Amino acid sequence: MTGRIVCFGELLLRLAAPGRELLLQSPRLDVHVGGAEANVAVSLARFGHDVAMVSAVPRNALGIAAVDELRRHGVDTRGVAFAPGRMGLYFLATGAIQRPSEVLYDRAGSAFALAPADFHDWDALLRDAGTLHVSGVSPALGPAAAAATLRAVRMASERGLTVSFDGNYRPKLWAAWDADAPAILRGILAHVDLLFADHRDIAVVLGRDFDALPATQRNTAAAQAAFAAFPRLRRMATTVRTQHSVDHHELSAQLITREHEVATQAHSITPIVDRIGAGDAFAAGLLHGLRSGQDEAESLRFGLACACLKHSIPGDFNLAGIADVEAFLGERRFDVRR
């Protein structure tokens, strides 16, 4: 796993109710730049990797601000093109105690969703690349985005790149255009080497139910079913989350290959500042470990530490650096660092 990392997906603006308020409980919203693939790109860039973002945004103040924010964190944004359409948005009301968080999407007609499959010059964009990272959010945005995602992973796999795919199943987005999500996702997964998913994602893709199995066996069984269905697939990784309340979770992780399985201990996370982007932080951390010469167990622990730390950082991006992750994995002291 060498060469440049290319992330393909939609750049978004997150408009969040302040604190733990309901949306528009008071007349203001906090704004953050985000998007599943952009979150991975920023984290990897902050770890020192050569990372490029490929996307489409409108040529207005919103699109320009989003691109500038990625560039500020060290992401190469030359692959982010200006295109007709609007900026994708989502609204967030952060939950509290027993009230869960809620996301409202406002992404229809965005520049990224409308861009045709041949909009991006993948011959140029994948030159010198070693890894392409995409997620299941992109194909859920509509037929053009689905075709564009399939074209991206197909061209990457044909060139021998490692294709990393985060399931990120979003039923609200798929339902908006009455898509055949399983068929589209199967086409994409045929080109994937590293899959971030759990048994629920595989159940959607393969039309199988793993809930009858004991909880500890579901991800393993789902992974073996995915390996049988997709010959190119080599690894499946996931976090395992136990939720005691909105503000108290326990998080562990699994990595399953065709030959063996690795698991971590669980970490208690309480109170939670912001859990949005934790899965992307995990993906970036695991990719960092695998690309940096760590073994699978070390890479998995690093990825889990990234996910845990993201819960302490407001916004979509995981801004923790390597030293922060190593401190989490090491002494675990909470003294003020002076």
Side-chain angles (χ1 to χ4, degrees), residues 12-17 21-24 28-32 86-94 101-107 172 276 316:
L12 295 170
L13 293 182
R14 172 174 116 179
L15 307 177
E21 293 183 8
L22 303 176
L23 282 170
L24 298 184
R28 65 187 180 93
L29 296 167
D30 296 329
V31 182
H32 295 278
R86 53 183 289 268
M87 191 72 194
L89 309 174
Y90 80 95
F91 297 84
L92 173 68
T94 300
S101 299
E102 184 173 3
V103 168
L104 299 177
Y105 290 116
D106 184 18
R107 304 170 71 164
K172 291 181 182 179
I276 301 296
D316 285 39

Side-chain angles (χ1 to χ4, degrees), residues 36 39-40 133 166 168 170 196 237-239 241 251 275-286 303 306-308 310-311 316:
N39 297 343
V40 172
H133 179 77
D166 193 334
N168 278 339
R170 300 291 186 265
F196 295 93
T238 183
T239 54
R241 186 183 295 271
L251 202 64
R275 66 168 286 186
I276 301 296
D280 304 321
F282 171 70
L286 182 64
C306 293
C308 291
K310 173 59 194 73
H311 289 75
D316 285 39

Side-chain angles (χ1 to χ4, degrees), residues 9 143 147 331:
E331 59 189 21

Side-chain angles (χ1 to χ4, degrees), residues 53-128:
M53 186 74 198
V54 178
S55 190
V57 297
R59 191 186 294 273
N60 59 30
L62 303 182
I64 293 169
V67 174
D68 287 347
E69 182 66 9
L70 261 65
R71 188 182 298 117
R72 184 170 76 88
H73 292 289
V75 177
D76 183 345
T77 59
R78 288 175 293 179
V80 181
F82 293 111
R86 53 183 289 268
M87 191 72 194
L89 309 174
Y90 80 95
F91 297 84
L92 173 68
T94 300
I97 312 174
Q98 302 302 322
R99 173 174 60 84
S101 299
E102 184 173 3
V103 168
L104 299 177
Y105 290 116
D106 184 18
R107 304 170 71 164
S110 71
F112 181 85
L114 296 178
D118 59 356
F119 182 73
H120 298 285
D121 182 1
W122 286 110
D123 284 327
L125 292 167
L126 296 177
R127 190 174 299 128
D128 300 323

